[in-house]
Amino acid sequence: RKYRLLSLLILALFAYSCNSWLDVKPEDELDESDMFATGDGYRHALNGIYYGMGGQTLYGEDLTWGLVDVFGRTYTLYSVYGGGNRALTMFYYGVYQNNWDNILLEPEIESIWENAYKMVANCNNLIQNISKEDPDKFAYKVREQKMIWGEALALRAFIQFDMLRLFAPAKEESNTTYIPYFEKYPSTYEPNLSISEFMEKVIRDLEKAKTLVAPTDTVSERRDRLNSKNRFTMGTIDGNIEHNVTDLFEAYRGFRINYYAINGVLARAYAFIGKYEEAFNITEEIITAVDNTKQRLFSFTPNADVEENPKTFLDLLFGLSNEKLADNYTAEYNATGKLYVDHYTITFDDNADYRNTKLLTKSGTKYFSTKYLPSSINSITSHICAKLIPMVRLSEMYYIRAEYYASINDFSNAIKEMDIVRDGRECTKGRLDDIIKDEKSFRKELIKEAQREFIGEGQVFFYFKKFNQPIYSSMKESDFTLPLPDSETIL
């Protein structure tokens, strides 16, 4: 297997302004010894990884509102025709038809793989250096060292977990291996692993990461940095600008894979392998987390705020950033025949649901998601939303809890967990009581909820996949698994 070693090229200076965390830019290549000579060098290296993850071939498009949402049939078949700024007519059609030999799709999959493992290599380089570093090199000593180390470890697991979800089947096949898990730098080769072997490493890394990051996010004097006013805005919404934070590397914890976001990914991982009780227990800490005024850190965004805050980031645990996100989405939105939400498949059965009334717009007979469009309201919140890429949501934690109850045939409590999200989106409660009666009906309704909740976020495909529910009538189970790029199958 040829694994392209890519050195730490994406580095970012951290300027001192309100939006500096959102505005990091790549710099020229630096020698590794220079990069890690100071604590600031480690900061720049970590910021560079976040910056790279927000790129178009990763979570800035392909792994969220672009390719993976096309896989999940968020958009209608006729949406693949028309113009567009990335010549996606043929590309989207290839995605929609699972045509892996499509002339544009094949290199795009290669690019996703290469860029994902470029970020993994950068994580591994940082981890190996920081694990043996002197804590006195960092401004906040051992706490900062552990925070950077833990975030890099969590990002390594996060990215590779998504590669497994794309390039391997949802269920283990005996004596079969799929993709490698890279945890060393440099590494020219690692063996392919079974799903269980791979997930052991993902969970191991996430468990260690949350222990390392915990002192940054869970001690009482720091807890307020994760509440709804500070997580993405640092208090600028209520005029308390940045809460007198002089070091912005310590701020904007929603744009970092913070302690609670790591737990959210860990719950996702346990649910993926069918360990529903372990996943359920982890969600409890997220749902009940409070700031120093005893207000919940994570709560559903009120209807009145949705026009200004279409990403509904009050219930977002973690998000990435891309300065050109709104522009890139708007270009596809404006192109003829692109990004029409499949309103026939994604059934909005409740007129009170603000995901329908506020987060979709109708043009003629066709619907579009407004989640990534610039808000008409000129505010700090709307400017942050324009750059924000949703990664892990509170709603997913309730869906995981519902899966736990369904796994023990307690469908009454499963419905209650789903209704918490529906109530948060102002849906009419009680509509599921006469529908969900068994595992089959539960899975069908949970997928519907995911389709409504995660438009533009790249998660719907994975709900269909893990439940092995065909997205279209002729779909085969093997269609859920992307082929490995040619460069990874040639020795």
Side-chain angles (χ1 to χ4, degrees):
R1 180 181 307 281
K2 182 172 61 175
Y3 177 68
R4 289 177 172 80
L5 289 178
L6 292 155
S7 62
L8 201 56
L9 301 178
I10 302 177
L11 312 172
L13 283 175
F14 203 81
Y16 293 94
S17 67
C18 174
N19 288 326
S20 60
W21 170 243
L22 308 181
D23 297 335
V24 290
K25 300 292 192 297
E27 285 199 322
D28 296 331
E29 180 179 1
L30 295 181
D31 181 80
E32 183 178 313
S33 61
D34 293 334
M35 166 55 65
F36 297 127
T38 66
D40 279 350
Y42 282 98
R43 291 182 173 196
H44 299 158
L46 181 63
N47 286 355
I49 294 167
Y50 283 110
Y51 180 89
M53 288 175 67
Q56 274 189 279
T57 56
L58 294 177
Y59 298 98
E61 182 174 330
D62 280 347
L63 299 186
T64 51
W65 61 268
L67 183 143
V68 178
D69 255 13
V70 177
F71 281 145
R73 294 293 178 96
T74 294
Y75 313 116
T76 58
L77 179 60
Y78 53 78
S79 71
V80 300
Y81 298 103
N85 70 336
R86 296 181 68 203
L88 290 183
T89 304
M90 193 174 176
F91 168 58
Y92 269 19
Y93 188 76
V95 175
Y96 208 92
Q97 296 296 321
N98 296 102
N99 178 13
W100 309 126
D101 295 326
N102 179 281
I103 193 171
L104 294 178
L105 178 55
E106 205 171 60
E108 193 75 8
I109 292 174
E110 176 97 29
S111 182
I112 290 170
W113 180 273
E114 288 188 356
N115 283 300
Y117 283 101
K118 175 181 179 179
M119 294 303 107
V120 170
N122 290 348
C123 288
N124 286 338
N125 194 11
L126 191 159
I127 290 164
Q128 287 184 192
N129 279 277
I130 204 168
S131 62
K132 55 192 177 186
E133 194 56 87
D134 179 359
D136 287 340
K137 185 177 283 188
F138 301 91
Y140 301 102
K141 308 304 181 186
V142 70
R143 181 180 64 75
E144 182 177 335
Q145 179 191 30
K146 287 183 176 181
M147 178 185 73
I148 295 173
W149 182 359
E151 287 183 34
L153 199 59
L155 293 176
R156 174 174 89 181
F158 184 96
I159 296 166
Q160 295 191 89
F161 181 25
D162 272 356
M163 292 302 100
L164 181 79
R165 294 202 293 169
L166 285 171
F167 291 96
K171 292 185 178 180
E172 191 97 60
E173 296 177 12
S174 60
N175 301 317
T176 305
T177 58
Y178 302 98
I179 65 173
Y181 192 87
F182 285 92
E183 51 190 322
K184 293 182 291 186
Y185 182 90
S187 178
T188 56
Y189 171 82
E190 295 295 335
N192 286 342
L193 302 176
S194 67
I195 291 174
S196 58
E197 290 170 332
F198 192 99
M199 289 306 297
E200 282 180 10
K201 293 179 180 291
V202 169
I203 290 170
R204 175 207 63 195
D205 280 356
L206 292 171
E207 291 281 10
K208 182 175 181 179
K210 78 172 191 175
T211 301
L212 290 168
V213 174
T216 294
D217 292 328
T218 60
V219 295
S220 59
E221 64 269 21
R222 302 183 57 79
R223 207 172 291 148
D224 286 348
R225 299 182 187 219
L226 273 163
N227 69 21
S228 60
K229 291 180 179 178
N230 296 332
R231 197 160 64 250
F232 293 102
T233 66
M234 280 314 295
T236 50
I237 287 177
D238 62 0
N240 189 4
I241 296 179
E242 295 170 5
H243 279 233
N244 299 315
V245 174
T246 57
D247 185 348
L248 294 186
F249 188 74
E250 291 277 288
Y252 298 99
R253 294 296 295 159
F255 283 104
R256 307 274 286 277
I257 192 159
N258 58 73
Y259 174 81
Y260 297 99
I262 294 171
N263 272 308
V265 180
L266 191 55
R268 180 188 290 175
Y270 275 121
F272 178 80
I273 60 174
K275 292 190 174 183
Y276 298 113
E277 186 172 4
E278 289 89 337
F280 180 95
N281 292 337
I282 291 169
T283 64
E284 190 73 22
E285 184 175 10
I286 298 167
I287 289 168
T288 59
V290 295
D291 64 15
N292 290 323
T293 68
K294 305 303 180 185
Q295 296 296 308
R296 292 282 176 88
L297 294 183
F298 310 103
S299 58
F300 290 103
T301 303
N303 190 340
D305 296 342
V306 173
E307 186 177 356
E308 183 182 20
N309 180 8
K311 300 284 175 64
T312 61
F313 61 64
L314 299 189
D315 45 274
L316 199 61
L317 279 63
F318 165 46
L320 292 170
S321 176
N322 183 317
E323 283 289 311
K324 296 183 178 180
L325 181 66
D327 292 340
N328 293 338
Y329 180 84
T330 302
E332 295 303 329
Y333 169 83
N334 288 334
T336 303
K338 286 285 175 41
L339 302 181
Y340 296 145
V341 173
D342 191 343
H343 211 264
Y344 298 98
T345 301
I346 304 173
T347 306
F348 286 90
D349 57 358
D350 189 341
N351 290 332
D353 187 344
Y354 74 56
R355 295 170 298 188
N356 183 22
T357 60
K358 293 285 184 71
L359 295 179
L360 288 181
T361 185
K362 191 174 183 181
S363 176
T365 60
K366 300 177 179 66
Y367 292 83
F368 295 91
S369 171
T370 61
K371 194 178 287 185
Y372 285 83
L373 291 175
S375 171
S376 60
I377 299 174
N378 184 11
S379 68
I380 290 169
T381 298
S382 63
H383 287 308
I384 287 173
C385 269
K387 308 168 186 179
L388 177 58
I389 307 164
M391 300 298 285
V392 185
R393 283 201 179 275
L394 177 65
S395 50
E396 184 181 357
M397 302 303 105
Y398 286 105
Y399 296 157
I400 287 171
R401 293 166 70 85
E403 286 186 69
Y404 162 70
Y405 284 120
S407 73
I408 58 173
N409 295 316
D410 184 351
F411 297 105
S412 175
N413 273 315
I415 291 169
K416 288 179 181 178
E417 299 292 344
M418 293 168 71
D419 268 345
I420 291 173
V421 181
R422 290 174 61 83
D423 186 49
R425 304 307 184 202
E426 298 206 347
C427 300
T428 305
K429 291 172 67 174
R431 294 168 70 96
L432 300 177
D433 293 342
D434 295 327
I435 299 174
I436 296 177
K437 301 296 183 183
D438 54 23
E439 182 69 20
K440 182 178 180 181
S441 57
F442 165 75
R443 291 185 172 189
K444 182 178 180 180
E445 292 305 314
L446 185 58
I447 288 174
K448 286 183 180 180
E449 281 299 310
Q451 286 180 296
R452 292 186 276 262
E453 180 70 7
F454 298 123
I455 291 175
E457 300 183 16
Q459 295 301 319
V460 172
F461 172 75
F462 296 120
Y463 276 84
F464 279 106
K465 182 171 181 174
K466 74 177 178 178
F467 291 144
N468 192 26
Q469 299 294 306
I471 304 174
Y472 51 91
S473 58
S474 61
M475 188 173 191
K476 307 182 296 295
E477 187 172 359
S478 59
D479 290 335
F480 280 115
T481 305
L482 274 65
L484 287 174
D486 288 342
S487 63
E488 300 306 315
T489 59
I490 300 172
L491 294 177

